[in-house]
Amino acid sequence: TLFLCYPDEDIMPSQADESEEQDSRPLSMAAACLEHYTGDTIIHVGELFCDTLSVDQAPWGRSSANEFQERLGCEYHCILKMKLENNWLHVRDTLSVWKRSETCCMVFQGSDEDEEDQGEEEVEYKYIPPEEMLPVDAAAPCVAHLLKKKVDNVKSREQNNVNEERKRKRNDEATQHSQIAGNAW
């Protein structure tokens, strides 16, 4: 596991851009670590893209450079994200756990209408197992009631499925007992 806590705190986006022009090596320590890391799990502490209170000053947050975050998002998927208890007033630090993503290849066949591009197009996508997907629904407390109905409906459906499964098992058991009793005579 690679653990990164505020790895690029002192790098502002303008500094990173200037450095890349002078040298092909990344200025970002986090990006350099990711370049050499061959493991599957990364733990990141700090702010991430658009999850900052100072988007106009630091849209990528104040803890890791954009080149690192872009590569992290392309090659890994987040399986845990939690708020840190003691944040400064001007930051939204989180602890996030990322797992290396597998890729799958999809082949799209060109249509007959496309005369110039009749070949197949191969596109790679990230495969994220369903049990590793973060929920998409999120709501601020002032609008959480809008999601509550949806959650209640899902819970209700799940409870109905559980009840149906219990009924089916009871019926199966009753049928088995009557067959056993009938065979005994």
Side-chain angles (χ1 to χ4, degrees):
T1 301
L2 175 61
F3 178 76
L4 298 169
C5 181
Y6 267 75
D8 301 322
E9 181 177 17
D10 296 329
I11 298 174
M12 293 305 285
S14 60
Q15 290 175 316
D17 293 341
E18 291 169 11
S19 167
E20 288 177 21
E21 291 172 8
Q22 297 169 359
D23 189 7
S24 64
R25 290 180 299 136
L27 178 65
S28 162
M29 183 187 86
C33 289
L34 194 54
E35 179 87 23
H36 299 286
Y37 182 61
T38 58
D40 290 332
T41 307
I42 295 176
I43 299 173
H44 178 270
V45 175
E47 293 181 319
L48 293 169
F49 179 68
C50 281
D51 198 12
T52 177
L53 297 176
S54 55
V55 175
D56 57 332
Q57 296 171 357
W60 296 91
R62 299 180 179 276
S63 57
S64 53
N66 60 337
E67 60 187 320
F68 163 76
Q69 290 186 49
E70 288 172 2
R71 187 162 177 194
L72 180 69
C74 287
E75 297 177 17
Y76 294 79
H77 59 276
C78 187
I79 59 173
L80 174 76
K81 184 176 179 182
M82 60 185 279
K83 176 185 170 220
L84 297 181
E85 290 298 318
N86 297 314
N87 274 325
W88 293 99
L89 293 175
H90 66 290
V91 295
R92 290 184 53 167
D93 291 331
T94 59
L95 181 142
S96 56
V97 179
W98 298 75
K99 186 172 179 186
R100 188 180 297 274
S101 300
E102 293 181 27
T103 56
C104 64
C105 185
M106 294 180 79
V107 178
F108 296 96
Q109 186 169 357
S111 66
D112 294 337
E113 297 169 6
D114 298 335
E115 291 178 20
E116 60 189 53
D117 194 23
Q118 289 185 354
E120 295 177 342
E121 181 183 2
E122 207 172 285
V123 181
E124 287 208 357
Y125 290 92
K126 260 201 269 189
Y127 171 71
I128 302 172
E131 65 275 5
E132 295 179 4
M133 287 186 189
L134 291 179
V136 176
D137 295 339
C142 63
V143 292
H145 64 282
L146 298 173
L147 288 181
K148 186 171 178 2
K149 253 186 194 175
K150 184 178 178 183
V151 170
D152 289 344
N153 288 341
V154 169
K155 285 181 181 176
S156 175
R157 270 186 267 139
E158 288 174 353
Q159 187 59 45
N160 287 341
N161 290 343
V162 168
N163 290 340
E164 289 295 321
E165 184 64 22
R166 286 181 184 155
K167 280 184 195 175
R168 189 186 61 73
K169 283 183 180 178
R170 273 185 266 153
N171 288 342
D172 289 350
E173 289 173 0
T175 303
Q176 252 184 346
H177 288 301
S178 66
Q179 288 175 350
I180 293 171
N183 290 338
W185 295 103

